[in-house]
Short mmCIF file of all heavy atoms in Angstrom, two decimals:
data_model
loop_
_atom_site.label_atom_id
_atom_site.label_comp_id
_atom_site.label_asym_id
_atom_site.label_seq_id
_atom_site.Cartn_x
_atom_site.Cartn_y
_atom_site.Cartn_z
N LYS A 160 192.85 -76.93 233.90
CA LYS A 160 193.49 -75.74 233.11
C LYS A 160 192.77 -75.70 231.74
O LYS A 160 192.51 -74.71 231.22
CB LYS A 160 194.91 -76.08 232.89
CG LYS A 160 195.68 -74.95 232.29
CD LYS A 160 197.18 -75.24 232.24
CE LYS A 160 197.96 -74.10 231.79
NZ LYS A 160 199.37 -74.23 231.88
N ALA A 161 192.42 -76.96 231.13
CA ALA A 161 191.82 -76.99 229.82
C ALA A 161 190.25 -76.72 229.96
O ALA A 161 189.74 -76.38 228.78
CB ALA A 161 191.99 -78.35 229.22
N ASN A 162 189.65 -76.79 231.00
CA ASN A 162 188.12 -76.74 231.04
C ASN A 162 187.69 -75.55 231.83
O ASN A 162 186.40 -75.27 231.95
CB ASN A 162 187.52 -77.93 231.56
CG ASN A 162 187.74 -79.13 230.60
OD1 ASN A 162 187.06 -79.14 229.58
ND2 ASN A 162 188.63 -80.00 230.84
N GLY A 163 188.56 -74.75 232.47
CA GLY A 163 188.16 -73.64 233.41
C GLY A 163 187.80 -72.35 232.55
O GLY A 163 188.01 -72.40 231.39
N PRO A 164 187.22 -71.35 233.17
CA PRO A 164 186.98 -71.21 234.68
C PRO A 164 185.78 -72.02 235.17
O PRO A 164 184.95 -72.43 234.32
CB PRO A 164 186.79 -69.71 234.84
CG PRO A 164 186.22 -69.23 233.50
CD PRO A 164 186.89 -70.14 232.44
N PHE A 165 185.68 -72.06 236.55
CA PHE A 165 184.70 -72.89 237.17
C PHE A 165 183.95 -72.08 238.15
O PHE A 165 184.47 -71.05 238.71
CB PHE A 165 185.30 -74.06 237.85
CG PHE A 165 185.94 -75.04 236.92
CD1 PHE A 165 187.22 -74.82 236.59
CD2 PHE A 165 185.20 -76.14 236.52
CE1 PHE A 165 187.86 -75.86 235.70
CE2 PHE A 165 185.87 -77.06 235.59
CZ PHE A 165 187.25 -76.76 235.22
N LYS A 166 182.70 -72.47 238.51
CA LYS A 166 182.05 -72.04 239.66
C LYS A 166 181.73 -73.23 240.58
O LYS A 166 181.50 -74.37 240.12
CB LYS A 166 180.76 -71.28 239.28
CG LYS A 166 179.66 -72.29 238.86
CD LYS A 166 178.34 -71.33 238.64
CE LYS A 166 177.13 -72.18 238.30
NZ LYS A 166 175.89 -71.48 238.21
N LEU A 167 181.76 -72.86 241.89
CA LEU A 167 181.52 -73.98 242.85
C LEU A 167 179.96 -74.27 242.86
O LEU A 167 179.11 -73.31 242.93
CB LEU A 167 181.93 -73.45 244.30
CG LEU A 167 181.69 -74.47 245.43
CD1 LEU A 167 182.44 -75.76 245.30
CD2 LEU A 167 181.95 -73.71 246.79
N VAL A 168 179.63 -75.49 242.71
CA VAL A 168 178.20 -75.86 242.66
C VAL A 168 177.77 -76.35 244.00
O VAL A 168 176.61 -76.15 244.48
CB VAL A 168 177.98 -76.97 241.61
CG1 VAL A 168 176.53 -77.38 241.52
CG2 VAL A 168 178.34 -76.31 240.16
N TYR A 169 178.69 -77.25 244.67
CA TYR A 169 178.23 -78.01 245.79
C TYR A 169 179.41 -78.54 246.50
O TYR A 169 180.49 -78.81 245.84
CB TYR A 169 177.36 -79.27 245.29
CG TYR A 169 177.02 -80.26 246.33
CD1 TYR A 169 175.81 -79.90 247.13
CD2 TYR A 169 177.67 -81.41 246.51
CE1 TYR A 169 175.44 -80.84 248.07
CE2 TYR A 169 177.28 -82.32 247.52
CZ TYR A 169 176.08 -82.08 248.18
OH TYR A 169 175.63 -82.90 249.23
N TYR A 170 179.27 -78.72 247.81
CA TYR A 170 180.45 -79.38 248.56
C TYR A 170 179.93 -79.95 249.89
O TYR A 170 178.80 -79.58 250.24
CB TYR A 170 181.54 -78.33 248.96
CG TYR A 170 181.23 -77.34 249.94
CD1 TYR A 170 181.51 -77.57 251.29
CD2 TYR A 170 180.61 -76.17 249.63
CE1 TYR A 170 181.33 -76.65 252.31
CE2 TYR A 170 180.49 -75.14 250.59
CZ TYR A 170 180.78 -75.43 251.95
OH TYR A 170 180.49 -74.51 252.94
N GLU A 171 180.60 -80.94 250.40
CA GLU A 171 180.30 -81.63 251.54
C GLU A 171 181.50 -81.57 252.48
O GLU A 171 182.63 -81.54 251.98
CB GLU A 171 179.93 -83.08 251.32
CG GLU A 171 178.69 -83.33 250.30
CD GLU A 171 178.51 -84.78 250.00
OE1 GLU A 171 179.44 -85.73 250.13
OE2 GLU A 171 177.62 -84.99 249.22
N THR A 172 181.25 -81.61 253.77
CA THR A 172 182.36 -81.55 254.73
C THR A 172 182.56 -82.87 255.47
O THR A 172 181.52 -83.46 255.87
CB THR A 172 182.04 -80.42 255.78
OG1 THR A 172 181.76 -79.25 255.13
CG2 THR A 172 183.16 -80.26 256.73
N TYR A 173 183.71 -83.28 255.63
CA TYR A 173 184.00 -84.55 256.40
C TYR A 173 185.09 -84.31 257.35
O TYR A 173 186.00 -83.48 257.28
CB TYR A 173 184.56 -85.62 255.37
CG TYR A 173 183.43 -86.06 254.50
CD1 TYR A 173 183.18 -85.35 253.28
CD2 TYR A 173 182.60 -87.13 254.85
CE1 TYR A 173 182.18 -85.72 252.34
CE2 TYR A 173 181.50 -87.48 253.90
CZ TYR A 173 181.35 -86.84 252.71
OH TYR A 173 180.41 -87.16 251.86
N VAL A 174 185.13 -85.14 258.53
CA VAL A 174 186.07 -85.09 259.46
C VAL A 174 187.24 -85.95 259.10
O VAL A 174 188.34 -85.68 259.53
CB VAL A 174 185.46 -85.47 260.85
CG1 VAL A 174 186.54 -85.53 261.92
CG2 VAL A 174 184.28 -84.52 261.36
N CYS A 175 186.97 -87.12 258.46
CA CYS A 175 187.89 -88.07 258.17
C CYS A 175 188.36 -88.09 256.68
O CYS A 175 187.44 -88.04 255.69
CB CYS A 175 187.29 -89.47 258.50
SG CYS A 175 188.31 -90.87 257.90
N LYS A 176 189.59 -88.09 256.32
CA LYS A 176 190.08 -88.01 254.94
C LYS A 176 189.57 -89.27 254.20
O LYS A 176 189.26 -89.14 253.05
CB LYS A 176 191.62 -87.96 254.98
CG LYS A 176 192.14 -87.98 253.49
CD LYS A 176 193.70 -87.90 253.52
CE LYS A 176 194.18 -87.71 252.13
NZ LYS A 176 195.70 -87.51 252.13
N THR A 177 189.61 -90.40 254.79
CA THR A 177 189.23 -91.65 254.13
C THR A 177 187.74 -91.61 253.72
O THR A 177 187.35 -91.98 252.52
CB THR A 177 189.31 -92.87 255.13
OG1 THR A 177 190.69 -93.02 255.39
CG2 THR A 177 188.91 -94.21 254.42
N ASP A 178 186.91 -90.95 254.57
CA ASP A 178 185.46 -90.88 254.13
C ASP A 178 185.27 -89.96 253.01
O ASP A 178 184.50 -90.12 252.17
CB ASP A 178 184.60 -90.26 255.33
CG ASP A 178 184.48 -91.29 256.48
OD1 ASP A 178 184.77 -92.51 256.18
OD2 ASP A 178 184.18 -90.87 257.53
N SER A 179 186.11 -88.92 253.00
CA SER A 179 185.97 -87.88 251.82
C SER A 179 186.40 -88.45 250.54
O SER A 179 185.81 -88.32 249.53
CB SER A 179 186.74 -86.60 252.09
OG SER A 179 188.10 -86.78 252.14
N LEU A 180 187.50 -89.36 250.54
CA LEU A 180 187.97 -89.96 249.35
C LEU A 180 186.92 -90.98 248.96
O LEU A 180 186.84 -91.22 247.69
CB LEU A 180 189.30 -90.53 249.67
CG LEU A 180 190.46 -89.58 249.88
CD1 LEU A 180 191.79 -90.33 250.30
CD2 LEU A 180 190.64 -88.67 248.72
#
Side-chain angles (χ1 to χ4, degrees):
K160 188 174 188 174
N162 292 284
F165 295 90
K166 73 175 184 175
L167 178 65
V168 175
Y169 176 82
Y170 73 93
E171 300 171 356
T172 306
Y173 294 87
V174 176
C175 173
K176 180 178 183 177
T177 302
D178 290 344
S179 70
L180 293 174

